[in-house]
Amino acid sequence: MKDILLITPPFTQLNTPYPATAYLKGFLNTKNISAYQMDLGIEVILELFSKEGLISIFNTVKSSEVEMSSNSERIYFLNDDYIKTIDSVIAFLQGKNPSLARQICAGNFLPEASRFEQLDDMEWAFGTMGMQDKAKHLSTLYLEDLSDFIVECIDENFGFSRYAERLGRSANSFDELYNHLQNAPTFIDTITLKILKERVESVQPKLVLISVPFPGNLYSAFRCGQFIKANFPTIKIAMGGGFPNTELRELKDQRVFEFFDFITLDDGELPVELLVNYVLNSPPLEGLGEAKRTFLLENNQVVYKNNSIRHDYKQSEVGTPDYSDLLLDKYISVIEIANPMHSLWSDGRWNKLTMAHGCYWGKCTFCDISLDYIKLYEPIAAKILVDRMEELIAQTGENGFHFVDEAAPPALMREVALEIIKRKLVVTWWTNIRFEKSFTADLCLLLKESGCIAVSGGLEVASDRLLELIKKGVTVEQVAQVTRNFTESGIMVHAYLMYGYPTQTIQETVDSLEMVRQLFELGVLQSGFWHQFAMTAHSPVGMFPEEFGVIPEQNKITFANNDINFKDKTGINHDKFSFGLKKSLFNYMHGICFDYDLQDWFDFKIPKTKIPSDFIFNCLQKEPNLTARPNSRIVWLGSHPQIEIFTKSKKGNSWEMMKLSFHTKVNSFDIVLNEAEGKWLVSVLKLLSVNSENKTTFSQLKSSFESELEDFELFWFSKPMQTLRASGLLLL
């Protein structure tokens, strides 16, 4: 029994829990409030994709006599093969049956329908991925075939990472969703509500907190609320999370509170604490007295209550996320396409953490920069972050981390990396960034040494005019150089790409695609995704549309308000570019078709690109600025060298030289200096070690050298020192 039940409704991710409930549970631990959490999505998926689940699906289709496409007919007639293999495949994707990979890859084991038709084009890619990844990919296609069958024959709203998403998107009125909720529960609903009933009966909570991160969770959240209200009327129910934070800020429809008692906005810790105090108070209170950013119904009117004078908790006070109760060994890793960077979102178990609340840049005009989750920037101290990493490793047994920041700050990434290296932790991590010039080659090498394997960031529109209009704070040249720095250090790079931004011309879309083509061809981008621009109510474009040449559709808002339909004054239909942009990118991600004319991707006439074919190449040829800032920190990542002193003679003169031999993880190398310089260098390398308590800046290093020797710049740029620089002597 627990007083609080935290729920993530179907569906989010298959491979790892969405972290909101774990964050909240970690916070409640600091208040000695006991809570139980569940990811209802993964539990429904596991029941659906099981031997019993498929038998039920095929029996339902048999009794309904639904009309089927030829693809669904094939799946139906192969139902014995699907039923026979499903439990083994799910166990394999959970990491429990690795030897099955050989049978999957050998062929004639998995039943194959339309999703397997693309294999001929991609067979070559599996050589670089390995047998386990190939088997995961084939198993993913197998599950996608079953998903297609479910969508066509059982439930049109099903999706692996979303359910009935259409009902949650731009739902300015609650009418459609409300009417849908009056229908009998769907096949998926029945599974969802059965599991929910069992859990509510075992936990016996007084307060249920449902976190709704996306539109694709909204319908199921309301179904859960409806079920609890009907069957457990004494339990209070609250909704929070990303969807209400962005979409329900103007809520007016009283019918919403037939399903929920409370809806909270923005950071959930203090609003939830106040709700818990209210619900658990003994004797019961008449009404919710003190509240923080909470909607509720009073006298049959929707009221927004924000009367607490208490401040939100600092990030250092919210505790470490707690993943207990979640079925961590039951999540399934899938690989949708044969691209190592792209698979990070769906393959592997990641502990999720945040380096900083909000965004340190906070200027992009398409972003919700008026809302607290972006606007209020608060970084967490590196030592606290790495403490939390160690706690999570002990708790989950997993050492993979996904920092889910809006944009991780480079300075904090540096300090976190140094702390990880100092503690000799073996971790694997990735995060979201801005492609800014702070990511030098040296910083990227440090991040790689600490376990960073990948970064994702917004290139958005590869056009300097539009990047300036977006207020992105970067140029295409800068992005090319930064992605090169990451790639050369061994860190993979994913770029978020955008088309259809206000005032964007057809020429700019074509030129943007050419820039992207060159970035992939030169190998400095490994993955990407095109998004069509969406105007949101809380972004500068949404708040001041006239400044961006767009005309918004004005709708009456009684329920959700985020995505706004609009007309671009250019009159261009950007939708028609979607297929060509995505198909070209799909091929570029597989390292092919760079020689295709851009026109080949579109079935309508496009203008020739105005971008020179060597534009990105030339960007990468520009010499980096080698001027060191006086306060830059110098760090030595390598080990102590072996020392050999020898005498060198020339024209009757002789002098002592010093050979320093270094061993790295992958090679060995020597540098030779005169004895005085060698002795000085050996002495300072200890001080420059990442484990040294004292930080040494470039100016301090220069002063130290010049107190004994002459001309530090000549020494610093000498060939031996450049060899050392390339092997772990970093300027940060």
Side-chain angles (χ1 to χ4, degrees), residues 443-464:
L443 177 54
C444 292
L445 286 168
L446 176 76
L447 298 176
K448 176 68 171 67
E449 182 70 17
S450 73
C452 180
I453 56 164
V455 293
S456 57
L459 169 54
E460 319 307 354
V461 183
S463 153
D464 285 343

Side-chain angles (χ1 to χ4, degrees), residues 227 354 416 451 714 725:
F227 179 82
T354 309
V416 167
L714 188 63
R725 290 284 319 277

Side-chain angles (χ1 to χ4, degrees), residues 437 440 442 623-632 634 698-699 702 712-713 716-717 722 725 731-732:
K437 58 187 177 185
T440 61
D442 281 14
E623 290 292 327
N625 181 7
L626 298 176
T627 306
R629 298 192 314 274
N631 63 343
S632 294
I634 311 291
F698 184 79
S699 64
K702 183 173 185 289
F712 177 73
E713 276 76 13
W716 181 253
F717 290 107
Q722 292 311 297
R725 290 284 319 277
L731 187 64
L732 302 171

Side-chain angles (χ1 to χ4, degrees), residues 64-87:
S64 69
E65 297 182 356
V66 65
E67 281 193 30
M68 285 185 272
S69 65
S70 58
N71 186 59
S72 289
E73 274 188 356
R74 173 174 171 76
I75 294 170
Y76 179 75
F77 285 118
L78 289 170
N79 69 82
D80 285 344
D81 294 287
Y82 283 104
I83 290 165
K84 174 187 170 185
T85 52
I86 187 66
D87 286 346

